[in-house]
Amino acid sequence: MLLKFSVENFLSIGSKQTIDFTISKKDKLNDSSSEVCGKYVNNVACLLGANGSGKSNLLEAINICYGLMHTSVQSLSSLYPICTKHQTIFFNEQAQLITKHKLLQNKNTVFEIEFINCSKFSKLIIEINNNCIVREYFGVHFEKGWTEIFSYERDTNGKLLKENIYFKDNFKMNKNDFERFKEMKDSTLYAFLCQYQYFGLLLKDCRTKTCSIGFFRCINYEIFAKNLIKNNNFKNFIEKSKDDLIKKINDVADVEIDDIKIDKNFVGQEQVFFLHKKNKKSFWLEIHEESSGTKAIIFLLFLFLNDISTQNSIWIFDEIESGIHPLAIRKILKLFSDKEVNKYNSQIFFSTHQPLFLNDRTKTQIFLSEKNDKLETEIYRLDDVEGVRNDENYLNKYLAGCYGAIPKVKWF
């Protein structure tokens, strides 16, 4: 479960910016937060701001950080989608390398993430320069505080500054693996140790299992509809949970779906069909014949229902409302507040231009983004704004400009 994330010197982000999903007990004001390992953590959070304020860049940074926990910098720039043993990460656009702020080219890019791993609070720090990992730290929080598990540094050419990597309790990699990692200047040691299953030995009672991540930007629902029949997960899900999916679709979308089946279409190809029935009249539609909004709703409901009831995961969505009515999105987001569905405390963090979502959130679940005078992105949580009350109408006050992070539109 994601607790905190910080990034420094990445695209429009200059100085260190932090997203904190942890809250105090008194701030738990609705069902969209959970108590996990003694901490209270938000399951749902949103990010608002004007166009060009850096919202997408922050989401991209989270995605890249999770990618570096499982693969190399080079893989991040060439493999789309990235498939890990945890989750397939979806992309629909050309990869971008880890790009620094245009005015801070001489400084490192830094990612810092705190998460819960096997009931332990963990922290990973990754510093990058020229797509080379120049510093890495991994720590675990025990009763007396943070304990360093491993760390190392490289120079800008990728050479280890010390022949040995520091390990807690004098743990040693075998010689062949150590020599192999010495040359892997674009890979994190965290990913290397996960791959070779060293963590079980290093932390003894802990087998590392980072939660899965799904990242979505500019979703192409036509591609989803075209390939749905090839998704074995969907076929298995339909066999087990068809009635639940139908109910959820009808609750969210302005349609009357009565059944779902997998059958051959008029050209003999296997496809997914949906039965529309109303006033004793009915007809079947192939998935590609559904409206774009209906396809989007089916897509999100399948993803969430199939995933969050079986594992802990974090979903990152850039402009989640794209192509879907905001009232439908509000209903879909309630899945993350339903403890019977969200059994493993999965989280969703999304950017949006739709202020309507604000009144569904608490002030600790709303993040705002804007550019400062240095042309750098600044991110802040709404409860950091002085004087904000829990009972405010966040929608109206945001539109009135009380919180900042709103576009300066010049009316003609």
Side-chain angles (χ1 to χ4, degrees):
M1 196 171 191
L2 179 57
L3 303 177
K4 293 182 182 179
F5 175 78
S6 300
V7 59
E8 182 177 346
N9 195 16
F10 176 73
L11 294 172
S12 65
I13 299 169
S15 60
K16 183 177 180 179
Q17 302 298 311
T18 300
I19 297 290
D20 189 351
F21 293 93
T22 63
I23 59 174
S24 65
K25 183 177 181 179
K26 67 180 179 62
D27 288 324
K28 180 176 168 53
L29 302 176
N30 58 28
D31 292 332
S32 52
S33 58
S34 305
E35 184 181 3
V36 183
C37 301
K39 275 189 178 290
Y40 291 88
V41 187
N42 281 324
N43 297 104
V44 184
C46 65
L47 175 63
L48 274 83
N51 294 109
S53 63
K55 301 185 302 298
S56 299
N57 295 339
L58 176 70
L59 301 185
E60 183 75 43
I62 298 174
N63 180 53
I64 284 179
C65 183
Y66 266 94
L68 288 170
M69 295 168 74
H70 299 298
T71 188
S72 67
V73 175
Q74 192 60 37
S75 296
L76 283 176
S77 64
S78 60
L79 296 180
Y80 285 76
I82 295 172
C83 295
T84 73
K85 64 180 180 180
H86 303 284
Q87 179 75 32
T88 299
I89 308 174
F90 297 83
F91 298 83
N92 286 314
E93 59 180 31
Q94 188 65 31
Q96 55 182 336
L97 296 176
I98 298 172
T99 306
K100 301 177 182 181
H101 191 285
K102 294 296 184 182
L103 301 178
L104 300 170
Q105 294 296 299
N106 294 325
K107 294 187 176 182
N108 295 341
T109 296
V110 185
F111 301 109
E112 181 175 334
I113 185 169
E114 293 184 29
F115 56 99
I116 296 176
N117 173 42
C118 297
S119 300
K120 288 184 171 64
F121 299 109
S122 303
K123 179 191 293 184
L124 180 66
I125 301 173
I126 306 167
E127 291 194 34
I128 300 174
N129 198 319
N130 271 340
N131 293 319
C132 169
I133 311 291
V134 295
R135 176 176 176 260
E136 186 177 357
Y137 163 95
F138 177 66
V140 172
H141 195 278
F142 296 104
E143 290 183 359
K144 295 183 179 180
W146 288 102
T147 297
E148 184 176 347
I149 304 300
F150 69 74
S151 64
Y152 67 92
E153 293 184 20
R154 296 179 187 267
D155 63 23
T156 53
N157 295 317
K159 182 180 178 181
L160 283 173
L161 294 179
K162 295 181 180 180
E163 276 301 303
N164 293 320
I165 301 169
Y166 167 78
F167 282 104
K168 177 181 179 292
D169 297 334
N170 296 316
F171 177 90
K172 296 286 186 182
M173 296 168 63
N174 70 53
K175 184 176 180 181
N176 289 337
D177 284 342
F178 177 72
E179 292 300 321
R180 189 178 299 116
F181 181 74
K182 281 175 63 175
E183 304 303 318
M184 298 172 65
K185 62 182 182 180
D186 67 342
S187 295
T188 60
L189 182 58
Y190 185 94
F192 186 88
L193 294 178
C194 286
Q195 179 182 358
Y196 286 89
Q197 297 181 339
Y198 277 118
F199 268 115
L201 296 172
L202 191 58
L203 298 181
K204 296 176 183 177
D205 60 338
C206 176
R207 178 173 293 178
T208 295
K209 184 183 178 184
T210 307
C211 72
S212 66
I213 180 172
F215 174 82
F216 294 88
R217 173 184 287 174
C218 305
I219 305 171
N220 189 324
Y221 296 113
E222 298 302 324
I223 293 178
F224 156 72
K226 182 178 180 181
N227 294 305
L228 184 60
I229 192 62
K230 301 176 184 178
N231 191 320
N232 289 327
N233 287 334
F234 183 79
K235 293 181 180 179
N236 295 334
F237 181 74
I238 289 300
E239 290 180 4
K240 297 177 181 178
S241 307
K242 179 175 70 172
D243 292 342
D244 190 29
L245 178 60
I246 291 171
K247 181 181 184 304
K248 292 292 194 299
I249 293 172
N250 290 333
D251 285 346
V252 172
D254 192 19
V255 295
E256 295 283 347
I257 289 177
D258 197 63
D259 198 4
I260 303 173
K261 70 176 181 179
I262 296 174
D263 203 352
K264 290 184 178 180
N265 60 18
F266 73 98
V267 295
Q269 295 178 334
E270 197 174 42
Q271 190 52 272
V272 181
F273 289 81
F274 297 84
L275 177 63
H276 292 255
K277 188 174 183 180
K278 192 171 186 178
N279 297 330
K280 298 183 180 181
K281 296 181 180 179
S282 64
F283 54 85
W284 288 93
L285 288 181
E286 288 188 53
I287 178 66
H288 70 84
E289 295 178 298
E290 299 287 354
S291 72
S292 59
T294 302
K295 280 183 280 199
I297 288 168
I298 293 168
F299 173 76
L300 292 183
L301 287 174
F302 161 61
L303 281 181
F304 295 154
L305 291 173
N306 184 52
D307 180 85
I308 66 178
S309 62
T310 59
Q311 64 175 337
N312 175 244
S313 54
I314 178 168
W315 294 93
I316 308 292
F317 273 86
D318 197 9
E319 298 186 20
I320 192 172
E321 74 276 11
S322 179
I324 308 178
H325 196 283
L327 293 180
I329 290 294
R330 292 174 73 187
K331 184 73 173 181
I332 292 173
L333 290 173
K334 289 183 180 297
L335 293 175
F336 289 84
S337 304
D338 187 337
K339 301 306 179 183
E340 292 186 5
V341 176
N342 190 10
K343 299 176 181 178
Y344 298 92
N345 297 314
S346 291
Q347 297 163 286
I348 185 167
F349 183 42
F350 62 93
S351 70
T352 181
H353 291 292
Q354 178 50 264
L356 181 62
F357 299 144
L358 292 180
N359 282 347
D360 294 332
R361 310 269 59 86
T362 69
K363 63 182 181 180
T364 66
Q365 297 171 343
I366 298 169
F367 293 88
L368 300 166
S369 171
E370 61 184 7
K371 286 275 187 71
N372 62 21
D373 293 338
K374 297 179 181 179
L375 299 178
E376 296 179 10
T377 294
E378 289 188 348
I379 309 288
Y380 52 98
R381 205 165 74 172
L382 185 55
D383 61 332
D384 293 329
V385 178
E386 187 176 354
V388 177
R389 297 165 53 93
N390 289 321
D391 58 355
E392 288 184 6
N393 187 312
Y394 301 135
L395 165 61
N396 290 343
K397 298 201 76 169
Y398 172 75
L399 291 177
C402 297
Y403 308 141
I406 194 165
K408 297 178 177 64
V409 177
K410 297 180 180 178
W411 299 99
F412 295 100

